[in-house]
Amino acid sequence: MSDVKRRGSVSLRNVGVAALSATLVIGGFSAAPLAFGADVAEPVKVPAAEIYRPSAMPDRLILIPTTTPATSQKVTWRAQASAEFAQAQFLVAPRALGAVAPEPGAVTTVAASATESVNTSLGYASTYHTAEFTGLRPGTRYTYRVGDGVNWSEWTDFTTATAGAQPFSFVYFGDAQNYIDSAVPRVFRQAFADRPEARVVVNAGDLINSANSEEEWGQWYAADGFINAQVNNISVPGNHEYSGGLSAFWRPQFPYPDNGPGVEELRDTAYTVDYQGVRFIGLDSNVQSNATLMAAQTTWLEGLLKDNPNKWTVVTFHHPVYSTTGTRNNPNVRNQWGPLLEKYGVDLVLQGHDHSYGRGDQVVNRRSSAVHNGVTYVVSVSGGKMYALNNGENWTGNGAEVRSSSQNTQLYQMVDVAADTIRFEARYANGEHHDGFVIRKNARGERTVNDIRTAENTVGEQVTVDRTSVGHKATVSVSAYGYDPGERVAVYLRTVDRHGEGRARLLDHVRADELGRVVERVRMPAWASRGGTYRFFLDSENQEFTSPVITVTR
C-alpha cells in the first residue's frame, strides 16, 4: 500500500476507546463530538451574527395578502439594497425558464414600494423591502423574483385567488416560539407535505420568543424554507411579539392591509382579508387591558361580522376565549368578543398562547355527543415548549365544553374549504391524526359541526325525542345527527321490557338532509300497546343510534 493511501486511511484499532464512547447528540440531547486525531480542531459554534447577516442576495421572502387577492399580491423580502434599486419582477408562470427566455413584454418590473431597516440585536441593520403586483388575473399562476437588478432571488410561483368563492385549503399553526431552529421545521414542512396546494398559512401569534431577536426571526424564516415565498401569510402578534411595544420587525415584515379599526397602534395587527369565500379577521388580543383599543376592535369586529358577503368566517387572535392550560383566563377577550362570535355565527376561532391543544364549543349548542351547531374554538401549538392541560376548567366554568385535547405534542392543522363544508384536521409533528371535524352549512346559514367518525361516536343512545311518554297512536318528533347528506336511514321501533330489548319493526326509510340531520315526525304504530315501552332505533350505513325509552300511556 502506498504512503498516500496509508496516510489517508483510518483504522478502528487506532481510535481510542474514549473517542468511540463519546455521546452522540441529536436535537436537544447533549453530546460530545467523536475525535479521530489529536491534531483535529474541535467544532466551534457558528456565531448567529454570521449565520443571519444579510447580504445583497435577497432572503426572507414572504407573500402578504392584499384586500384584492384575486388581482394583486404583496411580497416582502430582506436584502442589503438601497430603496432606489430594490425591485421585483413577475410574469404569468411559463413552462420553462433558464435557457428559455420569456417572450418580449412578458415580464413586468415594479419598484419596491416600501423600504424599512431594523437595527438588530446582532449589531447590524436588516432592511426589508415590499413590492406590490397589481393588474393580475384571478385564479392565475404567476412567477416572480426580487432583487436589486443585479442580485436576484430564484424564481418562485404563486397563484392569485379566484374572483369568487372556490374550494381551497389553508394551514393553521399555534405558537412556534421555542426550539424554532430544531423542533419547529419538521412541523412546518410536514404540514406543507400534507397540503402542498394550501393557499394561506395562519399563525395565531408567538411566532418567536424574543420580540426583537434577529436570530429568532432568522430561525423562523429558515424553518419553513421556501413555503412563505409561495403561500400567503396571515399572522397576528402574540405577547412574545411585544417587548416595550410591538416588535420592530413586525411592520417591516408584515405590511398587512390597512383596513383595521383605524387606530395607529393596531395597524398591521388587526386587519381583514376576504379570500375565495372566506372572511379572515385578525385581532390583537395583546391589548385586552387597554379599554380604548379593545373597544375599537370590538366595534370594528361587529361591523365586519354584520356586513359579511362571505359564506365562511375565520377569526384568529392569540389569547384564547377558553384557555386550556394552567390558571390562565382572558375575561376581556371572552366578554367582549365571545358574544359577537356566537351572535354572528363565526365558523372557526383559531388561537394560541397555551402551548397545548384544545377544541370545543358552547354547551348550549350541543346536538349530540359528536355534533354541535355553534362556533368552534381551537387552541394549538407548533413549537417545542409545552404546558400541562387544566382539565378544561376554563371551558366548563364558562359554559363551554372540550371535545378534544392534547398535551406534550406539536401539531399542525389543515383546513379544507369547499362550497358547503369545511374539513378540519389536526395532526402531530410525525403526521399522525389527532383530531378532526366537518362543518356543514346550507344556503340559509344553518350549520352542523360533526366530529370525524369513530367506533365510539357512531353507536349508542343518540336519538332525541320530544317526549318519553306518549298516547296510543300519538306522534313523536325524532331527531339524530352525524349522517352524510342524503344518507338513507331506516327507522325502527323496538320493544323494551323486563326481559330486555325485543323485536325491532321497520317503520320507515328517511334521508338525512344537507346538514346530516334526520328530523322526523313519527306516528306510533297501532301495534304499540298501551302501557308498553319502546325505543326508536335508527340504522344506516355509518351509524346505529337508539332513543331513550318511550312509554305508551293507557
Side-chain angles (χ1 to χ4, degrees):
M1 182 181 293
S2 69
D3 289 341
V4 174
K5 290 183 178 179
R6 188 175 295 113
R7 286 195 300 270
S9 64
V10 177
S11 169
L12 289 179
R13 290 194 298 270
N14 297 326
V15 178
V17 173
L20 287 176
S21 62
T23 306
L24 177 64
V25 174
I26 298 178
F29 296 92
S30 71
L34 292 173
F36 289 96
D39 58 341
V40 178
E42 291 189 0
V44 177
K45 184 173 178 61
V46 180
E50 182 178 330
I51 297 172
Y52 300 108
R53 185 179 298 277
S55 72
M57 288 301 298
D59 63 7
R60 304 187 186 180
L61 279 68
I62 186 167
L63 292 182
I64 301 295
T66 69
T67 56
T68 54
T71 57
S72 61
Q73 178 68 64
K74 279 186 180 180
V75 58
T76 295
W77 71 97
R78 186 187 74 152
Q80 286 182 328
S82 61
E84 62 181 313
F85 293 111
Q87 59 188 281
Q89 294 182 329
F90 70 94
L91 70 160
V92 174
R95 294 179 179 177
L97 284 169
V100 182
E103 295 182 4
V107 178
T108 300
T109 301
V110 296
S113 58
T115 299
E116 297 184 63
S117 293
V118 180
N119 291 320
T120 75
S121 58
L122 298 180
Y124 54 76
S126 275
T127 301
Y128 292 86
H129 311 282
T130 302
E132 184 170 352
F133 309 140
T134 59
L136 308 180
R137 300 201 298 260
T140 302
R141 183 165 174 160
Y142 286 87
T143 299
Y144 78 96
R145 66 178 181 176
V146 300
D148 58 12
V150 176
N151 302 289
W152 291 102
S153 69
E154 70 276 17
W155 290 102
T156 301
D157 287 12
F158 70 91
T159 302
T160 54
T162 58
Q166 289 292 331
F168 74 100
S169 297
F170 69 92
V171 174
Y172 147 56
F173 297 117
D175 305 30
Q177 187 178 342
N178 304 95
Y179 305 95
I180 312 171
D181 59 337
S182 59
V184 173
R186 62 193 293 258
V187 180
F188 285 1
R189 295 168 192 179
Q190 184 61 49
F192 183 77
D194 285 343
R195 284 297 181 277
E197 74 281 9
R199 296 292 187 82
V200 172
V201 172
V202 173
N203 290 287
D206 280 5
L207 286 63
I208 43 76
N209 187 55
S210 301
N212 295 305
S213 170
E214 164 77 351
E215 180 178 7
E216 291 181 10
W217 281 113
Q219 291 172 350
W220 184 80
Y221 278 97
D224 72 354
F226 58 83
I227 301 169
N228 276 334
Q230 63 185 49
V231 180
N232 267 295
N233 186 281
I234 292 178
S235 293
V236 292
N239 54 294
H240 284 269
E241 274 77 52
Y242 277 84
S243 179
L246 183 64
S247 168
F249 288 87
W250 189 267
R251 291 191 173 107
Q253 295 176 151
F254 304 120
Y256 287 117
D258 189 9
N259 59 2
V263 180
E264 175 60 23
E265 293 94 324
L266 298 171
R267 178 170 56 86
D268 298 321
T269 68
Y271 59 94
T272 184
V273 174
D274 288 349
Y275 194 99
Q276 289 188 199
V278 176
R279 171 156 288 181
F280 289 97
I281 302 173
L283 296 167
D284 191 343
S285 59
N286 297 281
V287 300
Q288 58 184 294
S289 60
N290 185 314
T292 300
L293 295 182
M294 282 297 287
Q297 290 189 93
T298 302
T299 300
W300 174 71
L301 173 63
E302 181 161 26
L304 290 175
L305 298 178
K306 183 184 296 184
D307 182 17
N308 184 0
N310 301 276
K311 184 167 188 173
W312 305 105
T313 307
V314 176
V315 177
T316 183
F317 46 85
H318 186 60
H319 298 81
V321 174
Y322 306 106
S323 289
T324 60
T325 57
T327 57
R328 291 183 167 187
N329 195 7
N330 306 295
N332 288 343
V333 170
R334 183 169 53 256
N335 295 337
Q336 293 190 52
W337 297 346
L340 297 180
L341 303 175
E342 294 288 336
K343 177 180 179 180
Y344 293 103
V346 167
D347 298 293
L348 291 173
V349 179
L350 307 179
Q351 308 146 108
H353 193 54
D354 286 351
H355 293 250
S356 56
Y357 183 88
R359 190 261 297 183
D361 52 273
Q362 288 198 347
V363 175
V364 68
N365 296 319
R366 184 195 302 162
R367 291 297 171 264
S368 75
S369 66
V371 179
H372 70 93
N373 66 354
V375 180
T376 300
Y377 301 86
V378 186
V379 179
S380 191
V381 58
S382 59
K385 183 173 78 171
M386 311 301 174
Y387 298 152
L389 294 169
N390 63 1
N391 299 315
E393 295 167 5
N394 192 258
W395 297 71
T396 56
N398 291 288
E401 60 183 350
V402 180
R403 287 183 175 266
S404 176
S405 62
S406 183
Q407 64 184 12
N408 297 323
T409 48
Q410 292 175 268
L411 305 108
Y412 58 94
Q413 289 71 220
M414 303 170 295
V415 187
D416 303 319
V417 181
D420 300 318
T421 63
I422 287 181
R423 186 182 188 279
F424 181 107
E425 183 182 2
R427 292 183 182 175
Y428 300 124
N430 63 2
E432 293 179 1
H433 171 83
H434 167 63
D435 179 37
F437 57 91
V438 175
I439 305 174
R440 297 191 178 102
K441 187 184 288 188
N442 62 23
R444 298 184 298 278
E446 297 175 309
R447 169 181 58 196
T448 58
V449 183
N450 306 263
D451 290 0
I452 297 295
R453 291 193 184 103
T454 66
E456 293 75 25
N457 68 21
T458 52
V459 296
E461 188 178 299
Q462 298 198 49
V463 178
T464 59
V465 292
D466 63 343
R467 66 190 75 180
T468 56
S469 179
V470 300
H472 185 60
K473 296 184 181 180
T475 299
V476 180
S477 179
V478 177
S479 61
Y481 291 80
Y483 299 98
D484 287 337
E487 186 172 346
R488 191 169 186 261
V489 182
V491 181
Y492 294 88
L493 191 65
R494 174 178 287 162
T495 303
V496 181
D497 56 29
R498 66 180 183 277
H499 302 296
E501 298 197 356
R503 178 184 176 188
R505 300 188 190 185
L506 179 66
L507 302 182
D508 197 4
H509 283 97
V510 298
R511 296 278 181 182
D513 69 7
E514 70 275 16
L515 300 181
R517 303 175 298 191
V518 166
V519 180
E520 291 292 321
R521 299 286 295 174
V522 179
R523 185 180 180 83
M524 296 295 289
W527 53 261
S529 60
R530 294 182 175 88
T533 51
Y534 304 89
R535 287 185 193 272
F536 286 104
F537 172 55
L538 273 58
D539 185 30
S540 72
E541 180 182 0
N542 295 307
Q543 303 183 141
E544 295 181 352
F545 290 158
T546 60
S547 74
V549 173
I550 298 171
T551 301
V552 177
T553 58
R554 296 183 181 276

